[in-house]
Amino acid sequence: MDSKDIVPKDLYRDTPVRYLGYANEVGEAFRAIIGSKLVLASYGVAVLYVCADTTDKTIKTHQEKSNAPNRTIQTSFTAADTLIWQMLASVAIPGYTINRICAGSMWFMKKNKAMSKINKAPRNMIVAGIGLAVIPLIIHPIDHFVDVLMDKTLRHYRPQ
């Protein structure tokens, strides 16, 4: 294997730092227990992760394209692509999905005669458990959906 074939590890996608992008999903799962302010803080962590990854990819593109005549355009495209992809795939869509799953679970538990007898604290823990259990199931389908969406829209305009 040639040293050119070795792909360096991406700090934001190939290490545990990646889990910071899931902070808002964990926050949404625990919403009934921790309240809206801490959920909002979890979104802050996820958005900081997105901004850090976007900055990293933008700087790397700027350095790699140092001799390219359209360096600014390529760098700007990378910034936009990374920011939009990450905001959709790491923050907006999964956060909304977990929020709705937890809200639906809570609604079902309150409407179901047997489940409605469960006290509030255990009910909230069950809903949080459902939310946490669903996170690994939604990640890859959402990532794939956002890839397809980006490939069919913005990425058609990728500068060469």
Side-chain angles (χ1 to χ4, degrees):
M1 179 180 261
D2 193 335
S3 63
K4 293 178 198 172
D5 296 332
I6 298 173
V7 177
K9 231 181 202 185
D10 184 332
L11 174 67
Y12 297 96
R13 299 193 186 173
D14 301 328
T15 70
V17 172
R18 174 69 181 112
Y19 297 117
L20 293 173
Y22 304 131
N24 63 307
E25 287 131 282
V26 173
E28 286 292 353
F30 282 102
R31 179 181 285 275
I33 298 168
I34 65 174
S36 296
K37 287 183 182 178
L38 286 177
V39 173
L40 187 58
S42 74
Y43 274 87
V45 171
V47 169
L48 285 173
Y49 162 81
V50 168
C51 291
D53 186 36
T54 300
T55 300
D56 178 63
K57 302 301 177 292
T58 302
I59 289 169
K60 286 178 179 172
T61 300
H62 188 72
Q63 291 169 343
E64 290 169 5
K65 306 293 183 182
S66 61
N67 296 323
N70 62 347
R71 177 186 195 187
T72 302
I73 293 169
Q74 290 181 341
T75 302
S76 299
F77 184 88
T78 296
D81 184 79
T82 305
L83 181 66
I84 293 167
W85 191 93
Q86 284 285 13
M87 286 301 291
L88 289 172
S90 296
V91 181
I93 297 171
Y96 179 79
T97 303
I98 297 298
N99 177 281
R100 295 294 82 208
I101 288 169
C102 289
S105 299
M106 185 66 77
W107 176 86
F108 174 78
M109 290 178 74
K110 287 179 180 177
K111 294 293 183 186
N112 182 282
K113 192 171 186 176
M115 300 287 252
S116 66
K117 294 176 183 173
I118 299 173
N119 290 333
K120 183 179 179 180
R123 188 172 57 229
N124 289 347
M125 292 300 289
I126 291 168
V127 169
I130 292 168
L132 291 174
V134 170
I135 292 170
L137 304 176
I138 68 170
I139 292 168
H140 295 296
I142 289 173
D143 286 356
H144 177 72
F145 168 74
V146 175
D147 279 334
V148 170
L149 178 69
M150 296 291 286
D151 288 345
K152 292 187 179 291
T153 57
L154 180 69
R155 291 179 181 156
H156 276 295
Y157 304 101
R158 180 185 307 274
Q160 300 304 321

